[in-house]
Amino acid sequence: FIRKLKKEDRQLQVVLVAQGDLEREKRLNLERSGFLVYQMDILDQELLWREDIIRKLCLHKAEEIVLFYEDPTWNFTLLKFLADWAKKQEDAFQYKKGRERSCSIWCEDATMKKIIADYYDSLEGIRPWNLNLFDMPELTAMELFKKEPLYANCFQWALENCENREKFLEAVPQQHILIAGFGRYGQAVLKYAVLTGTLSFCSRVKRHEKLRVTIIDSQAQRCRETVEAAYPRIDRICRISYIDSDIGSGRIEKALFDLPRITYTAI
């Protein structure tokens, strides 16, 4: 997909290589918004790198290339194709002072991140793009806590219900986050919740030393093993409990009713 936007009186071009066919409705919405949509068979490498397609994509003018395959090995393969193509087309790149180009890659695997970064660092000559590796679950969790800060509602409740301002922090409710579903996104939410809760000044206040977290998942034991493997000493800073149940189960209502007061929910 190619999108052209005006930015500081110049054209900004972004090329997005994504997985799967674009639904007709999404395609029409993009075109109405000023997108030029181009679809191709990414598995047919000869088709992908045909000269007429390269010219149509105008890769040498693109200021942002996003490789958006969920499988990082495909993104790595595409990056190598791009690097080989750019090396042959080095003279075609029109570099300007203060102008940067980026190649952003979706990659959630730590090992693949290192492999991709090491490969790009080892390239000889100029590197046509700044390499960025991003993780969708982590970006989503960061955006969640940016829009809805972890302690904001607790502070608001204390402001509305605490008459003695000197005891404001004592009136802030104990932070208790409920995470429903503990896949990649749920794990990212836990990571940033623990980080936010640990760094907050509330963690120095009595009753707030440890963040309370409850995880609901149909495979609670697997979730416990995942958490303990990733954070061997998490019990020092966080109290985590698990509910072994599907979120749609009728038993969930009673389990939630028996929990301590919940202040934040991520589903």
Side-chain angles (χ1 to χ4, degrees):
F1 316 100
I2 304 176
R3 183 184 187 185
K4 291 187 177 180
L5 300 172
K6 284 188 176 180
K7 183 179 180 182
E8 299 176 353
D9 297 326
R10 63 180 174 80
Q11 293 293 321
L12 173 66
Q13 179 166 296
V14 178
V15 176
L16 173 63
V17 182
Q19 188 169 4
D21 294 331
L22 194 65
E23 296 176 4
R24 175 180 170 79
E25 183 178 352
K26 291 182 179 179
R27 179 182 182 127
L28 291 175
N29 287 335
L30 286 170
E31 290 175 348
R32 292 190 191 103
S33 303
F35 285 78
L36 171 62
V37 180
Y38 183 79
Q39 291 179 266
M40 54 189 168
D41 183 1
I42 200 68
L43 300 179
D44 188 339
Q45 297 176 359
E46 292 184 4
L47 174 63
L48 175 61
W49 300 113
R50 254 174 33 198
E51 285 299 320
D52 58 325
I53 293 179
I54 292 293
R55 285 195 299 271
K56 189 168 185 177
L57 290 176
C58 298
L59 289 176
H60 65 282
K61 294 181 180 179
E63 297 183 20
E64 179 82 20
I65 296 178
V66 183
L67 305 183
F68 206 67
Y69 266 71
E70 187 171 358
D71 184 345
T73 57
W74 274 111
N75 290 328
F76 185 30
T77 301
L78 288 168
L79 175 64
K80 290 193 288 185
F81 270 112
L82 285 172
D84 292 341
W85 171 81
K87 187 175 182 180
K88 297 175 184 177
Q89 302 292 326
E90 189 170 326
D91 294 337
F93 284 89
Q94 302 171 2
Y95 289 93
K96 295 182 180 180
K97 186 176 182 181
R99 180 175 178 179
E100 293 186 348
R101 306 169 190 268
S102 299
C103 181
S104 300
I105 299 178
W106 179 9
C107 183
E108 299 173 20
D109 185 277
T111 302
M112 281 302 302
K113 283 182 180 179
K114 179 168 175 42
I115 291 173
I116 293 172
D118 288 348
Y119 161 77
Y120 202 68
D121 288 342
S122 68
L123 290 179
E124 297 180 356
I126 66 168
R127 298 183 183 92
W129 301 282
N130 291 328
L131 184 65
N132 301 307
L133 299 171
F134 64 92
D135 184 321
M136 286 299 294
E138 288 198 3
L139 288 178
T140 304
M142 290 171 63
E143 186 68 13
L144 170 66
F145 290 119
K146 180 180 178 181
K147 289 184 176 180
E148 301 291 341
L150 192 60
Y151 282 91
N153 58 336
C154 294
F155 291 153
Q156 186 63 36
W157 187 93
L159 284 171
E160 295 173 355
N161 294 276
C162 181
E163 297 179 358
N164 187 345
R165 301 303 183 188
E166 294 180 358
K167 295 185 178 181
F168 169 75
L169 285 179
E170 295 179 12
V172 176
Q174 171 67 45
Q175 183 63 247
H176 181 191
I177 180 169
L178 175 70
I179 302 177
F182 202 63
R184 294 176 302 159
Y185 289 89
Q187 292 172 37
V189 167
L190 174 64
K191 173 182 175 180
Y192 281 93
V194 170
L195 181 63
T196 303
T198 304
L199 296 181
S200 171
F201 62 85
C202 279
S203 63
R204 307 294 185 269
V205 179
K206 189 176 181 180
R207 296 186 303 108
H208 292 268
E209 296 88 354
K210 289 187 177 183
L211 179 71
R212 182 185 291 275
V213 178
T214 298
I215 296 172
I216 301 176
D217 195 276
S218 58
Q219 300 183 46
Q221 182 57 36
R222 176 188 60 82
C223 297
R224 184 190 300 273
E225 293 171 356
T226 299
V227 171
E228 292 177 353
Y231 311 99
R233 300 179 181 83
I234 197 170
D235 57 324
R236 297 184 181 182
I237 58 174
C238 188
R239 286 180 290 188
I240 301 183
S241 56
Y242 302 85
I243 298 177
D244 191 354
S245 175
D246 186 90
I247 191 65
S249 170
R251 298 186 296 108
I252 204 68
E253 184 175 353
K254 183 180 184 305
L256 293 176
F257 184 79
D258 293 338
L259 290 175
R261 178 180 181 178
I262 298 171
T263 60
Y264 198 108
T265 303
I267 301 176

